[in-house]
PDB file of all heavy atoms in Angstrom:
ATOM      1  N   HIS A 133     178.561 133.217  73.360  1.00 97.00           N
ATOM      2  CA  HIS A 133     177.446 134.149  73.163  1.00 97.00           C
ATOM      3  C   HIS A 133     176.755 134.495  74.471  1.00 97.00           C
ATOM      4  O   HIS A 133     176.081 135.530  74.583  1.00 97.00           O
ATOM      5  CB  HIS A 133     176.440 133.552  72.182  1.00 97.00           C
ATOM      6  CG  HIS A 133     175.707 132.361  72.719  1.00 97.00           C
ATOM      7  ND1 HIS A 133     176.302 131.118  72.873  1.00 97.00           N
ATOM      8  CD2 HIS A 133     174.425 132.207  73.142  1.00 97.00           C
ATOM      9  CE1 HIS A 133     175.416 130.278  73.362  1.00 97.00           C
ATOM     10  NE2 HIS A 133     174.273 130.912  73.541  1.00 97.00           N
ATOM     11  N   ALA A 134     176.891 133.625  75.480  1.00 97.00           N
ATOM     12  CA  ALA A 134     176.237 133.812  76.776  1.00 97.00           C
ATOM     13  C   ALA A 134     176.861 132.841  77.765  1.00 97.00           C
ATOM     14  O   ALA A 134     177.539 131.888  77.386  1.00 97.00           O
ATOM     15  CB  ALA A 134     174.730 133.559  76.662  1.00 97.00           C
ATOM     16  N   GLY A 135     176.589 133.080  79.042  1.00 96.00           N
ATOM     17  CA  GLY A 135     176.995 132.134  80.074  1.00 96.00           C
ATOM     18  C   GLY A 135     178.311 132.458  80.739  1.00 96.00           C
ATOM     19  O   GLY A 135     179.188 133.094  80.154  1.00 96.00           O
ATOM     20  N   ASP A 136     178.429 132.025  81.990  1.00 97.00           N
ATOM     21  CA  ASP A 136     179.655 132.143  82.759  1.00 97.00           C
ATOM     22  C   ASP A 136     179.705 130.953  83.716  1.00 97.00           C
ATOM     23  O   ASP A 136     178.832 130.073  83.671  1.00 97.00           O
ATOM     24  CB  ASP A 136     179.720 133.485  83.506  1.00 97.00           C
ATOM     25  CG  ASP A 136     178.529 133.741  84.426  1.00 97.00           C
ATOM     26  OD1 ASP A 136     177.930 132.760  84.942  1.00 97.00           O
ATOM     27  OD2 ASP A 136     178.190 134.918  84.644  1.00 97.00           O
ATOM     28  N   ALA A 137     180.702 130.934  84.569  1.00 97.00           N
ATOM     29  CA  ALA A 137     180.863 129.783  85.454  1.00 97.00           C
ATOM     30  C   ALA A 137     179.634 129.562  86.329  1.00 97.00           C
ATOM     31  O   ALA A 137     179.233 128.423  86.579  1.00 97.00           O
ATOM     32  CB  ALA A 137     182.109 129.961  86.321  1.00 97.00           C
ATOM     33  N   GLY A 138     179.017 130.654  86.768  1.00 97.00           N
ATOM     34  CA  GLY A 138     177.836 130.537  87.629  1.00 97.00           C
ATOM     35  C   GLY A 138     176.629 129.982  86.898  1.00 97.00           C
ATOM     36  O   GLY A 138     175.937 129.088  87.415  1.00 97.00           O
ATOM     37  N   THR A 139     176.357 130.488  85.693  1.00 97.00           N
ATOM     38  CA  THR A 139     175.201 129.974  84.956  1.00 97.00           C
ATOM     39  C   THR A 139     175.432 128.544  84.496  1.00 97.00           C
ATOM     40  O   THR A 139     174.497 127.734  84.470  1.00 97.00           O
ATOM     41  CB  THR A 139     174.872 130.872  83.747  1.00 97.00           C
ATOM     42  OG1 THR A 139     175.994 130.900  82.850  1.00 97.00           O
ATOM     43  CG2 THR A 139     174.543 132.293  84.176  1.00 97.00           C
ATOM     44  N   MET A 140     176.669 128.219  84.149  1.00 98.00           N
ATOM     45  CA  MET A 140     176.977 126.838  83.770  1.00 98.00           C
ATOM     46  C   MET A 140     176.717 125.897  84.943  1.00 98.00           C
ATOM     47  O   MET A 140     176.096 124.843  84.781  1.00 98.00           O
ATOM     48  CB  MET A 140     178.426 126.728  83.298  1.00 98.00           C
ATOM     49  CG  MET A 140     178.690 127.336  81.942  1.00 98.00           C
ATOM     50  SD  MET A 140     180.391 127.026  81.365  1.00 98.00           S
ATOM     51  CE  MET A 140     181.106 128.655  81.527  1.00 98.00           C
ATOM     52  N   ARG A 141     177.167 126.285  86.110  1.00 98.00           N
ATOM     53  CA  ARG A 141     176.943 125.458  87.314  1.00 98.00           C
ATOM     54  C   ARG A 141     175.453 125.261  87.565  1.00 98.00           C
ATOM     55  O   ARG A 141     174.985 124.148  87.803  1.00 98.00           O
ATOM     56  CB  ARG A 141     177.594 126.133  88.517  1.00 98.00           C
ATOM     57  CG  ARG A 141     177.403 125.393  89.856  1.00 98.00           C
ATOM     58  CD  ARG A 141     177.621 126.354  91.011  1.00 98.00           C
ATOM     59  NE  ARG A 141     176.626 127.426  90.976  1.00 98.00           N
ATOM     60  CZ  ARG A 141     176.884 128.699  91.319  1.00 98.00           C
ATOM     61  NH1 ARG A 141     178.097 129.069  91.682  1.00 98.00           N
ATOM     62  NH2 ARG A 141     175.908 129.588  91.278  1.00 98.00           N
ATOM     63  N   ASP A 142     174.692 126.353  87.510  1.00 98.00           N
ATOM     64  CA  ASP A 142     173.259 126.267  87.790  1.00 98.00           C
ATOM     65  C   ASP A 142     172.550 125.373  86.773  1.00 98.00           C
ATOM     66  O   ASP A 142     171.693 124.556  87.139  1.00 98.00           O
ATOM     67  CB  ASP A 142     172.631 127.665  87.772  1.00 98.00           C
ATOM     68  CG  ASP A 142     173.125 128.548  88.913  1.00 98.00           C
ATOM     69  OD1 ASP A 142     173.723 128.005  89.877  1.00 98.00           O
ATOM     70  OD2 ASP A 142     172.902 129.772  88.843  1.00 98.00           O
ATOM     71  N   SER A 143     172.896 125.511  85.507  1.00 98.00           N
ATOM     72  CA  SER A 143     172.260 124.691  84.470  1.00 98.00           C
ATOM     73  C   SER A 143     172.629 123.219  84.626  1.00 98.00           C
ATOM     74  O   SER A 143     171.777 122.336  84.463  1.00 98.00           O
ATOM     75  CB  SER A 143     172.663 125.192  83.082  1.00 98.00           C
ATOM     76  OG  SER A 143     172.163 126.481  82.840  1.00 98.00           O
ATOM     77  N   LEU A 144     173.880 122.950  84.936  1.00 98.00           N
ATOM     78  CA  LEU A 144     174.300 121.566  85.135  1.00 98.00           C
ATOM     79  C   LEU A 144     173.592 120.938  86.336  1.00 98.00           C
ATOM     80  O   LEU A 144     173.207 119.755  86.290  1.00 98.00           O
ATOM     81  CB  LEU A 144     175.818 121.512  85.322  1.00 98.00           C
ATOM     82  CG  LEU A 144     176.634 121.767  84.046  1.00 98.00           C
ATOM     83  CD1 LEU A 144     178.074 122.106  84.406  1.00 98.00           C
ATOM     84  CD2 LEU A 144     176.583 120.564  83.112  1.00 98.00           C
TER      85      LEU A 144
END
Side-chain angles (χ1 to χ4, degrees):
H133 68 287
D136 56 29
T139 61
M140 287 186 252
R141 178 201 63 216
D142 293 345
S143 295
L144 288 163

